[in-house]
Structure formats: structure tokens, C-alpha cells
């Protein structure tokens, strides 16, 4: 089979976590894979035994670098006649309350988790429209449907990803282009270790007298515990992405983990007032947050 006859799948942030597991699963299937990672992370492919061949390209792509985005899509358009399936997976999480995210950090979170995904979609769409086929798969999060304290800017980025994806779903349906959001909840992995503090939230998490100290203390322990207890592994989420890749008509939203289904049901069926009240009172150590009795 020539490389041209294989559907081209572009995956961002493929050098670790979900992206890497997805890439490994897809390597045995008849696709042309374009696996991307930041320059500094490209070495990891070698460590994982992943090497280039006729059907597998490894390319540098920092998704917030406009030039790299354009160069890569141009190369794919010229040499492989366009991307057939775009998986916007790359992302990161800031743990910080609203007061602890600087202007620069806000832009970085929104650029990585939302704007870059939209920009890549804009670049691949003309070829998809010409072919009247294509899929854009955006890895969202339960944080894109229910916001949690200390995750404000992360949630905002994923809600934005959800909003643009939903609009796009309507816009490109006439060309038979499918748009799907995968919404993982808590994944049982070490990825909580990769959650980043902002400059101010790092200080607050260390300083017991800081007014927001307990927000971080309780939330980070709580999230780590939920991730450890989650029955969903990254492999399960990758399997869901592959189901979307192979399905002729995938839905707009797919729950990535079991808890995502439960959160969705709670969100839809509980009256808003009760939902927010229950969630507030379920927050770990909530009585000790802020001016609470310390
Ligand atoms: N893990 C969870 O519980 C969970 C839950 C809900 C949603 N998600 C979403 O799932 C996706 C994958 O996350 P993961 O759990 O697999 O985390 P991960 O292991 O941290 O993987 C994220 C990947 O994104 C890459 N990345 C970050 N910024 C980038 C940039 N500017 N340019 C290119 N690549 C960049 C990282 O590369 P570097 O290694 O170079 O930084 C890494 O390879 C993310 O969109 C995340 O928001 C995860």
C-alpha cells in the first residue's frame, strides 16, 4: 500500500501520556501517522522505540508556534495530500485560583489548550473540505463541562475548546467533516504530577498563612486520590479515540472515562442551584478554606 492511500493522522503532544499510548496503538493499523512533539521532547520517541518509516513521520511541533504549525501542515499538504484526521491532544493544566494567574500564564494556558487547536483546525480544513471528508478530534476534559476551584484557567481553556468545536461541528457538517470532543475525567495515571503551579499558586501552596493555602492543600490531595481510585487508564481513553477514528459517524461528544458519564448525568439532571450547592459542600476540607476555622 502506498503512503498516499493511507489516511493521514496527525497527533499533537504524542511523546507522552495519552498521545503516546494512542500513537502506539495506531502504529499497527493502516494509517500514515504524523507524530509530533516539542523539539525538547522528540528524543522520547527514540526512548520508546518509535522510529520513522514510510508510514510514520516524527516532526517537531510546539503547538503555540505559528511558524511550526504552518510549516508542518504545508509539508503534509504537499507530500501526503492533507491531513485526514487531526487529533488535538497536546495540553497542560495550571492549578491556580483566579487571583493567582498572571496575564502571561492566562495566555499560555488558553493558547495551548484552545487557540492552537483552533489554528490547526483552520489549517487542515481547506484540504478536508476539498476531499469532502475528514475528522477533527479534540481532547477536552470533564473540566470543560464542570469547573472546579483552583482550575479556573484550565477549565476556561477547555470550555473554549468545547465552544469552538460545537460551532465547527455545525459549520463543516455539509462537507461531511466530523468534529468530536473526547471528555476524559480522572485518568488513573501519574499525570497529576505534571499539573503545573503558576508562580503565585506555587508560593501560596507552600505558605500556610496564605489565604488560599488550604484551597491548594485540599484540592491537590483530593484530585490525586480520585485519579488513583479511577478505574479508567490512559489505554481506555486511547481506545475511545480509536473508536472515533474508525467510526463512520462519531458523535460530537464522547465521555472519555466512566466518571465523565456520571458527571454528565449529574450536570444535566440536577437543578443548577442544587448541583452547585451539593458540589460546594462536597469540596474537601471546605470549612477550612479561606477565612474558615483553621
Ligand atoms: N490525564 C488526565 O487525567 C486528563 C483528564 C482530562 C483531560 N486530559 C487531557 O488529555 C490530553 C493529554 O493529556 P495527558 O494526560 O496525556 O497529559 P501529558 O502526559 O502531560 O501529555 C500532554 C502532552 O502535551 C504536550 N504539550 C504540552 N504543551 C505543548 C505544546 N505547547 N506544544 C506541543 N506539545 C505540548 C506535552 O509535551 P511535553 O512533554 O513536551 O510537555 C505532552 O506530550 C490533554 O489535552 C489533557 O488536557 C487529561
Amino acid at each position: 500500500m502506498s503512503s498516499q492511500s493511507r489516511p493521514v493522522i496527525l497527533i499533537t503532544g504524542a511523546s507522552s501520556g495519552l498521545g503516546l499510548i494512542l500513537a502506539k496503538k495506531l502504529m499497527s493499523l493502516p494509517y500514515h501517522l504524523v507524530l509530533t512533539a516539542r523539539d525538547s521532547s522528540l528524543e522520547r520517541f527514540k526512548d520508546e522505540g518509535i522510529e520513522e518509516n514510510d508510514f510514520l513521520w516524527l516532526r517537531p511541533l510546539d503547538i503555540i508556534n505559528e511558524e511550526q504549525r504552518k510549516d508542518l501542515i504545508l509539508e503534509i499538504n504537499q507530500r501526503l495530500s492533507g491531513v485526514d484526521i487531526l487529533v488535538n491532544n497536546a495540553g497542560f493544566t495550571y492549578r491556580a485560583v483566579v487571583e493567582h494567574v498572571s496575564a502571561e500564564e492566562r495566555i499560555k494556558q488558553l493558547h495551548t489548550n484552545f487557540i492552537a487547536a483552533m489554528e490547526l483546525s483552520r489549517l487542515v480544513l481547506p484540504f478536508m473540505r476539498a476531499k469532502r471528508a475528514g475528522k477533527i478530534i479534540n481532547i477536552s476534559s470533564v473540566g470543560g463541562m464542570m469547573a472546579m476551584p483552583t482550575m479556573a484557567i484550565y477549565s476556561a481553556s477547555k470550555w473554549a475548546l468545547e465552544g469552538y468545536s460545537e460551532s465547527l461541528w455545525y459549520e463543516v457538517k455539509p462537507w461531511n467533516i466530523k468534529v468530536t470532543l473526547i471528555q476524559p475525567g480522572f485518568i488513573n495515571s501519574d499525570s497529576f504530577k505534571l499539573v503545573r503551579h503558576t508562580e503565585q499558586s506555587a508560593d501560596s501552596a507552600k505558605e500556610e498563612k496564605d489565604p488560599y493555602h488550604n484551597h491548594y492543600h485540599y484540592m491537590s490531595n483530593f484530585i490525586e486520590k480520585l485519579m488513583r481510585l479511577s478505574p479508567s487508564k490512559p489505554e481506555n481513553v486511547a481506545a475511545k479515540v480509536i473508536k472515533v477514528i474508525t467510526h463512520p459517524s462519531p458523535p460530537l461528544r464522547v465521555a472519555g472515562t466512566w466518571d465523565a458519564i456520571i458527571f454528565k448525568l449529574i450536570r444535566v439532571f440536577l437543578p443548577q442551584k442544587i448541583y452547585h450547592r451539593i458540589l460546594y459542600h462536597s469540596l474537601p476540607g471546605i470549612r477550612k478554606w479561606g477565612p474558615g476555622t483553621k
Side-chain angles (χ1 to χ4, degrees):
M1 192 185 282
S2 82
S3 182
Q4 293 282 310
S5 58
R6 290 186 173 210
V8 175
I9 303 183
L10 167 60
I11 306 175
T12 64
S15 64
S16 72
L18 174 61
L20 179 62
I21 289 168
L22 176 64
K24 285 183 174 175
K25 280 180 182 276
L26 288 169
M27 277 163 63
S28 56
L29 300 175
Y31 293 106
H32 183 116
L33 297 184
V34 182
L35 307 182
T36 67
R38 286 192 272 211
D39 281 300
S40 53
S41 304
L42 274 175
E43 274 289 301
R44 284 197 218 137
F45 289 123
K46 210 199 275 170
D47 300 342
E48 295 290 333
I50 299 175
E51 284 176 9
E52 285 202 297
N53 61 47
D54 288 347
F55 304 117
L56 194 155
W57 290 3
L58 303 176
R59 292 289 183 273
L61 177 62
D62 181 332
I63 55 166
I64 62 174
N65 181 325
E66 186 181 1
E67 207 180 313
Q68 279 193 342
R69 286 194 304 251
K70 284 188 174 158
D71 287 350
L72 177 63
I73 301 302
L74 186 68
E75 185 190 3
I76 297 173
N77 289 349
Q78 286 174 345
R79 295 182 53 198
L80 298 172
S81 61
V83 173
D84 295 288
I85 299 164
L86 167 65
V87 183
N88 280 311
N89 164 73
F92 80 97
T93 310
Y94 268 137
R95 175 165 297 133
V97 298
V98 170
E99 283 192 73
H100 290 165
V101 202
S102 69
E104 201 183 315
E105 290 159 342
R106 289 198 288 273
I107 298 296
K108 191 169 180 191
Q109 181 77 96
L110 292 173
H111 200 168
T112 308
N113 289 10
F114 155 54
I115 294 168
M118 186 159 126
E119 291 296 349
L120 279 166
S121 305
R122 284 161 47 81
L123 290 171
V124 300
L125 277 168
F127 266 73
M128 288 185 177
R129 281 191 295 100
K131 288 189 211 170
R132 292 178 178 253
K135 280 182 184 157
I136 294 177
I137 301 172
N138 290 333
I139 309 299
S140 180
S141 168
V142 156
M145 64 169 155
M146 62 190 295
M148 280 201 282
T150 73
M151 312 280 282
I153 196 64
Y154 172 75
S155 268
S157 70
K158 292 294 187 181
W159 283 58
L161 186 76
E162 295 259 335
Y164 111 82
S165 304
E166 192 168 318
S167 288
L168 187 62
W169 186 89
Y170 294 109
E171 289 169 3
V172 297
K173 201 169 162 52
W175 285 277
N176 188 36
I177 298 166
K178 323 284 189 218
V179 179
T180 296
L181 286 152
I182 310 274
Q183 299 174 307
F186 294 107
I187 302 176
N188 192 333
S189 72
D190 281 342
S191 63
F192 62 85
K193 290 183 188 156
L194 303 171
V195 170
R196 300 183 208 172
H197 275 288
T198 61
E199 215 175 305
Q200 282 175 286
S201 76
D203 290 344
S204 170
K206 276 184 239 141
E207 177 47 71
E208 277 187 35
K209 289 201 175 90
D210 186 278
Y212 284 111
H213 176 80
N214 277 347
H215 288 59
Y216 298 117
H217 173 71
Y218 286 103
M219 281 306 287
S220 44
N221 288 336
F222 178 62
I223 290 171
E224 181 177 336
K225 206 161 148 192
L226 288 180
M227 282 177 131
R228 291 257 175 254
L229 290 172
S230 171
S232 304
K233 298 287 238 176
E235 288 77 5
N236 305 122
V237 184
K240 299 235 177 188
V241 181
I242 292 178
K243 213 167 161 191
V244 171
I245 288 173
T246 51
H247 198 285
S249 198
L252 169 59
R253 287 189 173 85
V254 171
T257 53
W258 281 106
D259 57 339
I261 299 171
I262 296 164
F263 289 135
K264 191 173 261 181
L265 290 174
I266 295 174
R267 178 98 192 165
V268 169
F269 290 109
L270 271 188
Q272 287 290 292
K273 213 170 150 185
I274 296 174
Y275 162 83
H276 291 300
R277 200 170 291 169
I278 290 177
L279 244 65
Y280 180 78
H281 289 289
S282 311
L283 290 170
I286 186 65
R287 286 169 191 274
K288 294 182 186 159
W289 289 26
T293 48
K294 287 190 183 165

